[in-house]
Structures are given as C-alpha cells and as structure tokens.
Amino acid sequence: MGYGQAPTAGWRHDLQVEQRQSHRQALSPTLFRSMEMLAMPSCDLRSFLQSAVDDNVMLAFDPDAFAGAESVSFDDAQERNRLAGDAVSRERGSRQHGLYDDGRLSAAFLQERLSLSQYLLCQCTPANEAVFLEVAECLDEHGYFQGDVDAIAFALGCPRQEVEDELRLIRTLEPRGVGAEDVRDCLLLQLDQDDANYDLLCKLVRDRLDDVPTLRGGSIACTYGVTREEGARLLAVLRSLDPWPGRPFARAESVRYTVPDVVVSRTPDGGLAVSLSLSETAGLSIDEGYRRLSLSPSLDGEAKGYLDERHRQAAGLLRDVAFRHKVVSGLAAYIVVHQRRFFESQGALLDALSVRDAADELGVHPSTVSRAIAGKTMRTPFGVFPLSVFFRAGVTGREPDDADAPAEAVATYQVKASIKRMVEGEDRCRPLSDNALRQALVAKGVRIERRTVAKYRECLGIPCSTDRRRMYGVCR
C-alpha cells in the first residue's frame, strides 16, 4: 500500500472493552510505613518522627530520648588497622617528624588524623603560608594537583610565580609523589635521583608504564643492555612505587559518624548485655491535652472527627515504633547468642549466620529481618560494626581431624582473609595456584571447590598464579 492510499478491504480496526479479575498483593499504607520505619537507622528515625509530630497534634515527642544515643566514628578500630596495613610509604625525610615507623604510617599519625594539607605544612616553612595551603587544598584524594595556577593567583591576588614556587615545594615533600599532574608524573617524583640507572627508570616510566604488570626483568635486560639481575631490580623498584600517595590521608578527611542502633557491653561478671539506643517508644507519646479535648462532650462533630482521626494515626505510629523496637532488639539478642565466638575473640572469628534462620527464630518473614539489618550498626567493646556483617554467606567447614563431626558454616570473609594471608606469605618464586590454595583450606577444615577459591581470589583483586609470577619477576 503506497503512502496516502486508503486501506484495503482486508484491514479491520476493532476497539474492544474487556473486564478481567486478578489477585494482586499490595501493601497497605499502614504496613508500608511500618516496613519503612523498620529499615530506618536511628538517626533517620528521629527526623521522621519529628516530621510526624509536626503534622499531628495528637503526638508528643521528647527529643531527650535521643540524647543518650552517642555519635561515634563508624568502624573506627577496624578502619585504623586497615589503614595501617594499606599505607605504602617511604621513609626518606620523614623520621624527623615521627610520623613514619618502619616504612608505615605510625600510630601517632593515625590517632591524630592529620589531613594531607596539615601533614604537608608540618614538614616545611612556606614563604607564603596562605598560598601553600590553597595549593594543598587543590590536591585530590590521591594526592594529585587538580587546581589552576592562574586561578589561584587571581583569587589570592599574588604573582603566578609564588603559586608555582609553593607547588614546587609541595612536590618535594612526603609522601613522595604528591602535587603530581598525572600518574607518570607521580611515579617520576618518587624515583631516587641518586640511583645509578635513574635515567633508565625515568624512561621505563614514560614509555613502558602500561607494561609493568607483565614486564619481566629478562626483557628489560635484553632491551636496555643491563644484566638480568639489574633488570629484575629495576622492575622491583617500579612496582614499589605508589600511584596514590594521598590515599592514606583520605580517611582523615572522610570520617563518617553514625548513631549505633544496638549497644553491646560487658557486665561485671563477664557476660554481655544488649541494649538499644532508643526506648520502646523512641520518645513518642499521645498528647494528653488533645486526647482529653477529643473526649470532651462539648466538642462539635467536625473537630471531634478530626481529633479522632489524628489519634488513630498516632496510635498506629506508636505501634510501628514498638514493632521496630521488638524486631531490632530480638535480632540483636539473636546475634549475641549465635556470634559468641565473635565477641570472645574480639572480632577475630565470625560465624556465617542465615537471615532465614534468624527469621524462623524471631517468627517473622526473612524480608523483615533484611529490613531490620539494613543501615544499622552495633557498638561493641572493640568497635562499631554494621549488622549486615554478621549475616555474610559462608562455606561448609569442619575440624580437619574429625571427619565425622557435623559440618558448620565458615564465614566467607574468613575464607577470603585466609586466601589473602596465604598469598601475601607465599614463595614469590612459586606462587600458589588456586588448587594449592584449595588444598590448604581443606587442610584447615574448610570444604571448598577450586572454582570458589578462584571467585574469592578475583573478588580480592588478586591475580592468578601465572600473572603473580610475572609481576614478581625476581626468579626469572
């Protein structure tokens, strides 16, 4: 049929109206609000309740109910240990400040939580401190300079040369590599100019940086006319450089605070006591004055209907708050009972718990437990932890010397931690294969398949044994 022609007789256009019946489950507004409140952490719940009180004259709210809920640094103890282990730093020019200890950031620095700009300033006496700090504030979380020299000079009303001088000073400070323009510039700043092959190292950074992960010492020796031993040393130097020198300081500038929903403390007899940061009513109550007014016989029908409706909404909100308190407190008690090893080992051992098992014991749906876990934290005598950490997936395990013992779940994070430790301590001339890692885990009583080991290794960002052998490059 051509464009613009009338449709032929074979075409029909019918409009029909049909009625269909179907069953569909939908949450009522009241149930939806209850589930929404259950998923709220304490800090969000306070704002929600305050808003509800503003909209309902029948509600009274006591803000002092939240006064005992102390804000703490989230996961502070664990994060300090992670930073201490991850900080890759060199010692040159740093020991006089007492901030480095055996090549790692010292505990004094981690406790003081210096920002990167503060740490840079404590190492020198700049000619113009205002310009120095402005340049330092233009360093991103990796330590790279992201500012514009002309813009800084215009904003501070100073010559461009002063800004360039302060930037040049920052580029000489620890951690080496800060103030760089890009990753190549960052690595070049970290090279030792006294190295006999400094020029060759610079050439490798400029021309072969992308090949460093797979480069071998022998190929460097053949290409650049050095011995195999020297080629391996140069490759080791390149791989020891830190492309993110500002990373250890990022924690100091992004500390997150939370109000723990659950507090676990030690009792005088050595037991554990569980409490919630909020009471059963969370400071919420029915306003007695308006309640008496709603019951007054002299009140007209319209006003009475308004107050009765508000009272119904307030009573429903109180039931939702009490339900939230019941589920969260029951879940906290379940965690303390079933994670006894976690509290006895100061967080070193963690069992794999199931959301479904917790729901069965609490008599609720698994989705209710998931909402109760979401976004909430528990404060323990040795740190603050998200509730979700207690419900990680696991693999089956048993004591290696007792094959008839019932199998128990081993938390996934513990298996990953074991894999990471074994790789970190492996012989670099003979990196462990996935099958070797699996056999080592089986010897520890963990029943796991090789493909699962490979999946966990990839989640940790650890290359396979072949790639690690190439990366090490010391036995070639």
Side-chain angles (χ1 to χ4, degrees), residues 281-433:
T281 62
L284 207 64
S285 62
I286 301 294
D287 189 291
E288 293 298 332
Y290 278 102
R291 182 54 179 161
R292 287 194 298 269
L293 179 61
S294 68
L295 299 175
S296 174
S298 60
L299 194 65
D300 64 82
E302 183 179 357
K304 180 175 176 59
Y306 172 81
L307 291 178
D308 287 345
E309 175 63 20
R310 290 292 185 255
H311 179 265
R312 185 187 65 80
Q313 294 176 359
L317 189 62
L318 283 170
R319 286 194 299 270
D320 294 340
V321 172
F323 176 73
R324 178 187 183 278
H325 184 277
K326 177 183 177 181
V327 173
V328 175
S329 60
L331 182 62
Y334 177 86
I335 291 173
V336 171
V337 170
H338 291 82
Q339 291 285 6
R340 177 66 63 174
R341 294 200 307 165
F342 175 82
F343 294 97
E344 291 176 350
S345 65
Q346 301 288 304
L349 300 176
L350 184 65
D351 295 321
L353 299 183
S354 167
V355 170
R356 184 173 295 277
D357 292 342
D360 292 341
E361 184 161 326
L362 297 177
V364 296
H365 194 271
S367 64
T368 302
V369 175
S370 297
R371 289 186 176 93
I373 293 172
K376 298 177 184 61
T377 54
M378 172 185 287
R379 183 174 187 178
T380 70
F382 44 87
V384 180
F385 302 87
L387 294 187
S388 59
V389 78
F390 300 104
F391 292 89
R392 296 293 173 87
V395 296
T396 305
R398 55 165 52 91
E399 292 298 327
D401 298 332
D402 191 358
D404 297 329
E408 297 181 353
V410 180
T412 297
Y413 104 100
Q414 287 184 285
V415 179
K416 290 181 179 179
S418 297
I419 293 174
K420 185 177 180 181
R421 285 195 298 269
M422 286 189 288
V423 171
E424 289 176 347
E426 69 184 356
D427 183 356
R428 294 199 167 194
C429 294
R430 297 176 181 177
L432 297 172
S433 64

Side-chain angles (χ1 to χ4, degrees), residues 20 95 139 209 302 367 415:
R20 294 182 180 180
R95 293 190 180 277
L139 302 178
L209 183 59
E302 183 179 357
S367 64
V415 179

Side-chain angles (χ1 to χ4, degrees), residues 104-351:
R104 295 186 180 272
L105 292 175
S106 69
F109 161 73
L110 294 171
Q111 293 170 359
E112 290 178 17
R113 301 301 179 113
L114 294 177
S115 67
L116 179 56
S117 57
Q118 291 170 335
Y119 176 51
L120 293 172
L121 183 60
C122 78
Q123 300 180 57
C124 62
T125 304
N128 190 325
E129 185 171 324
V131 175
F132 180 92
L133 291 175
E134 185 65 25
V135 174
E137 290 299 326
C138 292
L139 302 178
D140 64 13
E141 67 273 15
H142 300 310
Y144 295 163
F145 179 68
Q146 300 294 339
D148 183 88
V149 173
D150 292 326
I152 295 175
F154 178 79
L156 298 181
C158 65
R160 173 189 173 92
Q161 186 61 41
E162 288 190 17
V163 180
E164 292 178 343
D165 291 342
E166 299 303 339
L167 177 58
R168 192 176 298 109
L169 173 61
I170 287 177
R171 289 164 61 91
T172 65
L173 301 176
E174 291 286 348
R176 300 302 295 267
V178 293
E181 297 179 357
D182 52 37
V183 64
R184 283 182 169 81
D185 186 28
C186 175
L187 300 183
L188 288 172
L189 289 175
Q190 298 177 47
L191 295 176
D192 185 3
Q193 297 184 14
D194 295 331
D195 192 295
N197 279 312
Y198 172 75
D199 293 337
L200 179 54
L201 285 170
C202 292
K203 184 176 181 60
L204 289 171
V205 169
R206 294 192 183 99
D207 302 338
R208 304 292 300 275
L209 183 59
D210 295 337
D211 300 331
V212 168
T214 58
L215 201 60
R216 301 185 181 184
S219 62
I220 294 178
C222 296
T223 305
Y224 298 99
V226 296
T227 62
R228 295 178 63 89
E229 292 75 11
E230 181 63 11
R233 187 191 71 82
L234 295 176
L235 188 58
V237 170
L238 292 179
R239 289 173 176 166
S240 69
L241 304 179
D242 187 2
W244 304 296
R247 181 176 53 178
F249 298 86
R251 166 66 181 167
E253 298 170 356
S254 60
V255 178
R256 293 192 297 123
Y257 289 87
T258 184
V259 177
D261 298 85
V262 181
V263 179
V264 178
S265 56
R266 292 284 183 184
T267 59
D269 59 354
L272 295 173
V274 182
S275 62
L276 267 62
S277 58
L278 300 180
S279 64
E280 186 174 357
T281 62
L284 207 64
S285 62
I286 301 294
D287 189 291
E288 293 298 332
Y290 278 102
R291 182 54 179 161
R292 287 194 298 269
L293 179 61
S294 68
L295 299 175
S296 174
S298 60
L299 194 65
D300 64 82
E302 183 179 357
K304 180 175 176 59
Y306 172 81
L307 291 178
D308 287 345
E309 175 63 20
R310 290 292 185 255
H311 179 265
R312 185 187 65 80
Q313 294 176 359
L317 189 62
L318 283 170
R319 286 194 299 270
D320 294 340
V321 172
F323 176 73
R324 178 187 183 278
H325 184 277
K326 177 183 177 181
V327 173
V328 175
S329 60
L331 182 62
Y334 177 86
I335 291 173
V336 171
V337 170
H338 291 82
Q339 291 285 6
R340 177 66 63 174
R341 294 200 307 165
F342 175 82
F343 294 97
E344 291 176 350
S345 65
Q346 301 288 304
L349 300 176
L350 184 65
D351 295 321

